[in-house]
Amino acid sequence: MNETEARVAVRRALRALIVPVMLVVFGAGAARAYDRDETYTKSVPFQGAKRVLILNSRGDVKVIGEKGRSDISCEYTKRIRGRSQEEADRLFNLTDVDVTREDGGIKISVRYPDQSRSDRNVIALLMQRYEALSVDVDVMVPAELDVKIITASGDVQLASVLGASEVTAASGSVEATGIGKLRIDVSSGDMTISGVTGNAFLSSASGDIEAHHVSGDAAVRSASGDITLSEIGGDLTAASTSGDVTVNGVRGVVFSGTSGSAQFTGVRGKVAASAASGDVEVVASPTSAANYEIRTSSGQIELRFDNAVKGGFALKAQTTSGDISVTLPIKVTKVTRHYLSGVVREGRSVVVLETASGDITVSEPEE
């Protein structure tokens, strides 16, 4: 048998194997489903614990902080949907939540049935007699504790946790409100944040990010998704690969973008922004001298000052293909169709605006 004949034989053998398996799976799906849903509670005394670690691979996690609380309470709901009551009950009884004390903190981990190596092949997965198995966990903690949550699949909710909170999720949305310090890493899912009294680090590989009222600095990164922020008390460092960025109320801005528009309003400090493709708009209300450097390869640039920059600024604006428009009390030092430089008042700050393809607009309120 030559190589071609061998390949044909292998394909025929695989087809002969797959068809019966698929028939069994689809036939089993027609049977009546068996559902089981039960809720349990476990608690452990606070006893000076500094942090809580929560691990859950299949289900939602909700954590609420409460001032003056003396224990950590975990209410969890086990859910299973199966095509066989016997198999569903067996897996249900093997699933539980362990609450242990270790390294000065409390660990809450969801224990699912262990799959042996032989259970991981394709045929065994197709032949499983349950359709869904998950555990949702609700935890009440003293408000001052630090909280760390790691999930593989499920939504996360955090509220009134005054310590430092950290969330790592492979798939699922994250909501957090009333947090002391926050760090979130999500592979796939949206996040909605409000009321962070410290710094916030927010990262999503795929999903929208929305955050409001962050008292400290914010670092925000999205590979695919829009970013919407407001009332950032400190400085913002933001990066977006694909998606629009909208920020209202921030001190200083450092931004890099690949594809999508970016709009920053209510900027009180300096700006350093670069984009490969997309418009960049900055509306600034500077409280002191500040430098502004904005560059984009393809897109328009608009810089508008709501009030005069103290001490003025030196301006350099350049576009390869586009027009330059300024409404400024400027002393021009050089001007062409695609280039303009000059000095506004004392020229203590520096403003650099460059685009390869697009118009540039700079304006200040008329005196």
Side-chain angles (χ1 to χ4, degrees):
M1 180 181 294
N2 58 35
E3 183 178 351
T4 301
E5 291 173 337
R7 289 177 178 173
V8 172
V10 169
R11 285 197 294 267
R12 287 175 178 171
L14 287 173
R15 282 198 296 268
L17 175 63
I18 292 172
V19 170
V21 170
M22 296 304 291
L23 289 174
V24 170
V25 172
F26 290 132
R32 182 178 64 84
Y34 171 76
D35 295 297
R36 187 172 175 183
D37 185 327
E38 295 182 16
T39 299
Y40 306 85
T41 301
K42 290 184 178 182
S43 63
V44 60
F46 174 32
Q47 292 181 343
K50 302 296 184 182
R51 56 193 169 274
V52 175
L53 170 63
I54 302 171
L55 307 173
N56 191 9
S57 60
R58 303 179 188 177
D60 299 340
V61 174
K62 182 178 181 180
V63 179
I64 297 178
E66 183 178 313
K67 291 183 178 180
R69 190 176 184 88
S70 60
D71 69 345
I72 296 169
S73 175
C74 175
E75 181 180 279
Y76 59 100
T77 301
K78 300 195 292 184
R79 295 187 175 91
I80 189 165
R81 182 179 179 85
R83 294 185 292 269
S84 162
Q85 179 174 346
E86 180 182 0
E87 181 70 4
D89 287 341
R90 184 182 71 84
L91 294 171
F92 190 92
N93 293 329
L94 290 172
T95 303
D96 203 2
V97 171
D98 297 323
V99 180
T100 57
R101 189 181 299 274
E102 59 179 46
D103 299 329
I106 304 298
K107 179 180 178 181
I108 301 173
S109 57
V110 182
R111 171 168 38 88
Y112 292 95
D114 184 29
Q115 283 189 317
S116 65
R117 183 173 299 177
S118 61
D119 289 336
R120 294 188 182 127
N121 62 68
V122 175
I123 295 177
L125 291 173
L126 290 173
M127 293 293 291
Q128 284 179 340
R129 301 299 301 277
Y130 69 95
E131 298 173 352
L133 174 63
S134 65
V135 179
D136 294 339
V137 179
D138 290 359
V139 183
M140 297 289 295
V141 303
E144 63 271 24
L145 260 64
D146 294 342
V147 174
K148 183 175 183 179
I149 301 171
I150 301 175
T151 69
S153 176
D155 298 335
V156 175
Q157 288 183 289
L158 272 169
S160 304
V161 177
L162 306 181
S165 296
E166 182 177 347
V167 178
T168 302
S171 175
S173 64
V174 178
E175 295 182 11
T177 182
I179 308 300
K181 182 180 179 182
L182 184 62
R183 180 184 182 95
I184 301 176
D185 289 279
V186 176
S187 296
S188 176
D190 300 334
M191 64 180 77
T192 305
I193 312 301
S194 64
V196 179
T197 59
N199 298 335
F201 175 88
L202 311 174
S203 176
S204 175
S206 176
D208 297 337
I209 298 175
E210 183 175 348
H212 308 284
H213 304 289
V214 177
S215 298
D217 296 335
V220 182
R221 181 175 60 206
S222 175
S224 175
D226 296 336
I227 297 174
T228 304
L229 311 174
S230 70
E231 301 302 324
I232 308 300
D235 295 328
L236 169 66
T237 302
S240 174
T241 302
S242 175
D244 297 334
V245 177
T246 305
V247 180
N248 183 11
V250 64
R251 188 168 61 194
V253 174
V254 176
F255 168 73
S256 62
T258 302
S259 175
S261 64
Q263 182 185 63
F264 305 93
T265 60
V267 180
R268 304 182 300 276
K270 64 181 180 179
V271 174
S274 63
S277 175
D279 299 338
V280 180
E281 178 183 353
V282 176
V283 180
S285 302
T287 56
S288 60
N291 297 330
Y292 299 83
E293 184 175 338
I294 305 172
R295 292 182 169 89
T296 178
S297 298
S298 175
Q300 299 182 10
I301 295 175
E302 180 178 357
L303 174 59
R304 185 169 76 251
F305 295 105
D306 284 339
N307 54 271
V309 179
K310 292 184 178 180
F313 56 88
L315 171 66
K316 175 186 174 184
Q318 183 173 359
T319 174
T320 303
S321 175
D323 298 327
I324 298 174
S325 175
V326 299
T327 304
L328 299 167
I330 187 171
K331 180 179 179 181
V332 176
T333 56
K334 183 177 180 180
V335 61
T336 66
R337 181 179 176 183
H338 301 300
Y339 181 88
L340 173 68
S341 62
V343 179
V344 176
R345 292 182 293 279
E346 294 88 349
R348 293 181 182 175
S349 300
V350 176
V351 175
V352 178
L353 311 173
E354 295 180 358
T355 177
S357 175
D359 298 336
I360 295 176
T361 303
V362 193
S363 64
E364 247 188 22
E366 294 185 5
E367 297 179 347

